[in-house]
Amino acid sequence: QVQLVESGGGSVQAGGSLRLSCAASGYTSGYARYCMGWLRQAPGKEREGVAIIDSYGSTMYADSVKGRFTISKDNAKKTLYLQMNSLKPEDTAMYYCAADMDVYCRAGLSHRFDYWGQGTQVTVSS
C-alpha cells in the first residue's frame, strides 16, 4: 500500500502561483520507478489529468496548463510537486495526487492509477 498526502492548496487571485506537494509513505521502496500524476476535478465536471511524470522523468501536460504548470518529483524525499503559475479561475478544482507502480505512464493523461491522495482544494478568483 502507498499513502499519498497532498498539501499546498489554497485561494489565490488570477495570475498568482501555488505549489502543490504530495508526500508518499508506506510501501515506497520503489518510488523512483513509479508513474505519478496530478489530476483535478471541478464541481460538476469530470476528473481530468493535469500532468504526469514517469520513472524516467518524461512529462506530459494537459493543453490547458501547458507553459503554466510544471510537474516534478524528488525521489529522495518521495515527494511529487506541481508548480502552478499564471493561475486562471478555470483552474479552480480539487487537485489529487496519484501513483502507480509502473515505470511508464502507459495511457498518458488517462493512465489508471492505483493509489490516490485525499485531494487539496485550489481556488482562483478573478
Side-chain angles (χ1 to χ4, degrees), residues 41-46:
Q41 187 166 20
K45 294 187 177 181
E46 292 188 356

Coordinates of all heavy atoms in Angstrom, one line a residue, residues 41-46:
Q41 N -10.5 17.8 -10.3 CA -12.0 17.7 -10.6 C -12.6 19.0 -10.1 O -12.6 19.3 -8.9 CB -12.6 16.5 -10.0 CG -14.0 16.2 -10.4 CD -14.5 14.9 -10.0 OE1 -13.9 14.2 -9.2 NE2 -15.5 14.4 -10.7
A42 N -13.3 19.7 -11.0 CA -14.1 20.9 -10.6 C -15.5 20.4 -10.4 O -16.0 19.4 -11.0 CB -14.0 21.9 -11.8
P43 N -16.3 21.2 -9.7 CA -17.7 20.9 -9.4 C -18.5 20.7 -10.7 O -18.4 21.6 -11.6 CB -18.2 22.0 -8.6 CG -17.0 22.6 -7.9 CD -15.9 22.4 -8.9
G44 N -19.2 19.6 -10.8 CA -20.0 19.4 -12.0 C -19.3 18.9 -13.2 O -19.8 18.8 -14.3
K45 N -18.0 18.7 -13.1 CA -17.1 18.3 -14.2 C -16.5 16.9 -13.9 O -16.3 16.5 -12.8 CB -16.1 19.3 -14.5 CG -16.7 20.7 -15.0 CD -15.6 21.6 -15.5 CE -16.1 22.9 -16.1 NZ -15.1 23.8 -16.6
E46 N -16.1 16.3 -15.0 CA -15.4 15.0 -14.8 C -13.9 15.3 -14.4 O -13.4 16.3 -14.7 CB -15.4 14.2 -16.2 CG -16.7 13.7 -16.6 CD -16.7 12.8 -17.8 OE1 -15.6 12.6 -18.3 OE2 -17.7 12.2 -18.1

